[in-house]
Amino acid sequence: MKDKQVTSLDSKTDHSSLNMAKEHPNLPFSPDHNPPNQRTKLGVLFHTSEPTISPLYDQYQAAGSSSHDPTPSISPYSSPANYFMSPSPFHQTSPFSKSPWNFTFQNSPHVQNNRLIGSLTREEGHVYSLASYGNLLYTGSDSRNIRVWKNLTEFSGFKSSSGLVKAIVVAGERVFTGHQDGKIRVWKYSDSKKVHKRVGSLPTTKDFIKCSMNPNNYVQVRRRRNIPWIKHYDVVSCMSLDENRGLLYSGSWDKTLRVWRLSDSKCLESVNAHDDAINAVVVGFDGLVFTGSADGSVKVWRRELVGKDTKHMLVYTLLNQETAVTSVAVNATDGVVYAGSSDGLVNFWERRKHELGHGGVLRGHKQAVLCLAAAGKLVFSGSADKSICVWRWEAGGVHSCLSVLTGHSGPVKCLAVQEHVDDGSGGGDGGWVVYSGSLDKSVKLWRVS
């Protein structure tokens, strides 16, 4: 059986659009994969059972948006000096000392707007995922390590056996990581041991075993291979959190969108969303969820009551093109949706009364747009051309390119944005702190006004 081909940029895109990319098998090999034609025995499942997830969602709701950082909260953005602390002794005792990172500070008499502040560089491997929460930054890579940084000093870290880390989402005290082998791991910081501990997985072992007991719960995923519908069988490429409803969405290269309830870690629904790999899922505004796929489409979903059940129904398709959609971002305040694709373009749509109307196209890249991030009225686009474009939305759908951030020597794979907290007496906009992860083995820190 022939496998499809995808690019080495590790998201399923139209490889004809990326001259710099090599081809890889559609279903990447991982030593953690189970034999495709062999159904796991019940006894094995019990002997390899994982800890279940303690229901922390009520605590998370009660805590609101407060950081789960166990140390006293400080603002790392009060002055440029706060970005950089003395070297941490973490490397001396770290279990990840065989995969060290180096920090480089871009020396300047003062922090200017729209400029590079510093870089974290790995000695080996690539950076595939980022997530920021409070004053913590999480980085995922092909080493299976998730590193946690505080003020650009290594604060903590944890290692998974589930392969390349494709997506990271932080929900209160829990951290969710999506992996190349189709697994979603759940972690929680242990204040007593000062480490992140794995507290479970999605689906939980109990739910997986219960589901696998019923033959009617099996779906065919490949020729002569059936698995319980509750689990992804291919790369978990993206995740998004709906804080208001207490839901986590996961998109996969298996073409499905899954909905998880945070309060009890239940899989509520599996949606056959696209005809090809899902590269992006984002919770938006007005109860809408947006997905982008290698099939070239951007779809809009809404959770609705169907009979006695609540299901996600397709509202409409925003885009249907030949080139792959690689990324999606949402400006929820102004009702703007962005979709990057492998042809280097960023399409956007604006909320108009009871529908979303196509607003235009942003043209700023020569190669595929691999990641998008929205913050306030700004949207950031990272590309295979090694650059990051900073766009500002204005009423009427007008977008202006404020800056092009250059400094990476490889494709920009992921972005994370935090609001910059200005400690001055002036009440102006403090701007944004942007983290960019690249296939050049580095994470760069930028200050954007």
Side-chain angles (χ1 to χ4, degrees):
M1 178 177 65
K2 276 192 174 181
D3 288 337
K4 296 180 183 176
Q5 300 290 317
V6 297
T7 70
S8 61
L9 298 179
D10 209 53
S11 65
K12 293 206 173 179
T13 61
D14 179 6
H15 65 273
S16 64
S17 304
L18 306 174
N19 297 327
M20 50 77 66
K22 297 179 182 179
E23 294 182 346
H24 284 285
N26 182 43
L27 299 172
F29 170 78
S30 169
D32 298 321
H33 270 104
N34 291 327
N37 298 324
Q38 183 177 354
R39 179 175 168 183
T40 306
K41 294 182 179 180
L42 181 61
V44 175
L45 287 174
F46 277 112
H47 281 88
T48 59
S49 62
E50 303 154 356
T52 57
I53 305 170
S54 56
L56 301 170
Y57 182 66
D58 293 337
Q59 301 174 27
Y60 165 56
Q61 287 288 72
S65 58
S66 62
S67 172
H68 68 280
D69 177 13
T71 62
S73 177
I74 62 173
S75 170
Y77 310 124
S78 56
S79 69
N82 280 346
Y83 284 118
F84 320 106
M85 301 174 63
S86 59
S88 169
F90 184 88
H91 287 295
Q92 300 175 12
T93 59
S94 171
F96 310 128
S97 57
K98 294 182 180 180
S99 179
W101 292 60
N102 300 314
F103 174 69
T104 304
F105 170 52
Q106 300 299 122
N107 194 16
S108 176
H110 61 280
V111 179
Q112 301 174 355
N113 291 332
N114 303 343
R115 60 153 289 144
L116 178 64
I117 301 300
S119 301
L120 289 165
T121 306
R122 297 189 64 204
E123 292 189 3
E124 295 181 359
H126 303 304
V127 179
Y128 284 94
S129 53
L130 294 173
S132 61
Y133 190 86
N135 56 359
L136 298 180
L137 173 70
Y138 296 81
T139 59
S141 65
D142 53 7
S143 68
R144 304 181 184 180
N145 297 337
I146 298 94
R147 312 297 264 271
V148 188
W149 309 87
K150 184 177 180 179
N151 306 327
L152 292 186
T153 300
E154 194 157 17
F155 173 73
S156 180
F158 43 103
K159 185 177 182 66
S160 171
S161 60
S162 298
L164 185 151
V165 184
K166 289 285 294 175
I168 305 174
V169 167
V170 185
E173 296 183 323
R174 284 182 289 180
V175 180
F176 298 86
T177 55
H179 298 266
Q180 182 177 358
D181 60 2
K183 298 178 181 178
I184 300 175
R185 291 286 187 245
V186 190
W187 313 81
K188 183 178 180 289
Y189 185 80
S190 172
D191 194 24
S192 60
K193 296 185 178 180
K194 305 299 180 183
V195 296
H196 283 79
K197 296 183 63 176
R198 185 168 66 85
V199 294
S201 61
L202 298 180
T204 64
T205 302
K206 178 181 177 181
D207 288 344
F208 181 79
I209 293 175
K210 183 179 179 180
C211 182
S212 63
M213 293 289 194
N214 187 347
N216 294 329
N217 289 332
Y218 282 77
V219 294
Q220 184 175 357
V221 296
R222 294 192 198 114
R223 187 179 176 184
R224 290 182 304 212
R225 185 188 178 189
N226 297 328
I227 66 169
W229 67 269
I230 200 172
K231 181 182 181 298
H232 286 299
Y233 74 90
D234 207 338
V235 178
V236 177
S237 56
C238 50
M239 294 186 294
S240 185
L241 179 67
D242 186 340
E243 298 183 39
N244 295 329
R245 292 179 170 84
L247 301 176
L248 177 71
Y249 293 85
S250 61
S252 170
W253 286 8
D254 64 14
K255 312 175 190 178
T256 67
L257 172 70
R258 279 177 171 74
V259 188
W260 310 88
R261 188 167 56 201
L262 293 180
S263 60
D264 56 5
S265 305
K266 295 287 186 182
C267 183
L268 301 180
E269 191 178 355
S270 177
V271 183
N272 294 318
H274 288 273
D275 296 327
D276 207 335
I278 297 178
N279 289 325
V281 57
V282 179
V283 173
F285 45 86
D286 300 336
L288 301 178
V289 178
F290 301 88
T291 57
S293 169
D295 64 12
S297 68
V298 176
K299 294 185 178 181
V300 186
W301 308 85
R302 180 184 282 120
R303 197 165 181 239
E304 298 178 352
L305 187 63
V306 180
K308 295 182 179 180
D309 298 325
T310 303
K311 296 183 178 180
H312 283 77
M313 306 299 295
L314 179 64
V315 180
Y316 36 74
T317 300
L318 292 180
L319 184 66
N320 194 2
Q321 60 183 18
E322 292 185 2
T323 54
V325 174
T326 55
S327 50
V328 176
V330 173
N331 173 351
T333 303
D334 299 304
V336 188
V337 182
Y338 300 90
S341 53
S342 61
D343 55 10
L345 303 179
V346 178
N347 283 270
F348 69 94
W349 297 261
E350 297 175 299
R351 179 170 47 195
R352 298 172 183 172
K353 293 184 179 180
H354 303 294
E355 64 177 7
L356 287 168
H358 188 259
V361 180
L362 307 182
R363 305 174 186 271
H365 294 286
K366 297 179 181 179
Q367 296 185 39
V369 175
L370 301 179
C371 51
L372 292 170
K377 294 186 180 296
L378 300 184
V379 62
F380 305 85
S381 56
S383 170
D385 64 14
K386 310 172 188 177
S387 70
I388 303 167
C389 285
V390 184
W391 309 88
R392 180 173 61 198
W393 176 87
E394 298 175 4
V398 178
H399 283 77
S400 55
C401 184
L402 299 182
S403 179
V404 178
L405 308 179
T406 58
H408 281 293
S409 59
V412 180
K413 190 68 182 64
C414 48
L415 292 167
V417 185
Q418 284 183 333
E419 187 172 4
H420 181 276
V421 180
D422 193 350
D423 65 343
S425 57
D429 181 11
W432 304 94
V433 177
V434 181
Y435 301 97
S436 57
S438 169
L439 300 188
D440 64 5
K441 308 177 184 179
S442 75
V443 174
K444 294 190 181 298
L445 168 68
W446 313 81
R447 168 74 184 276
V448 176
S449 64

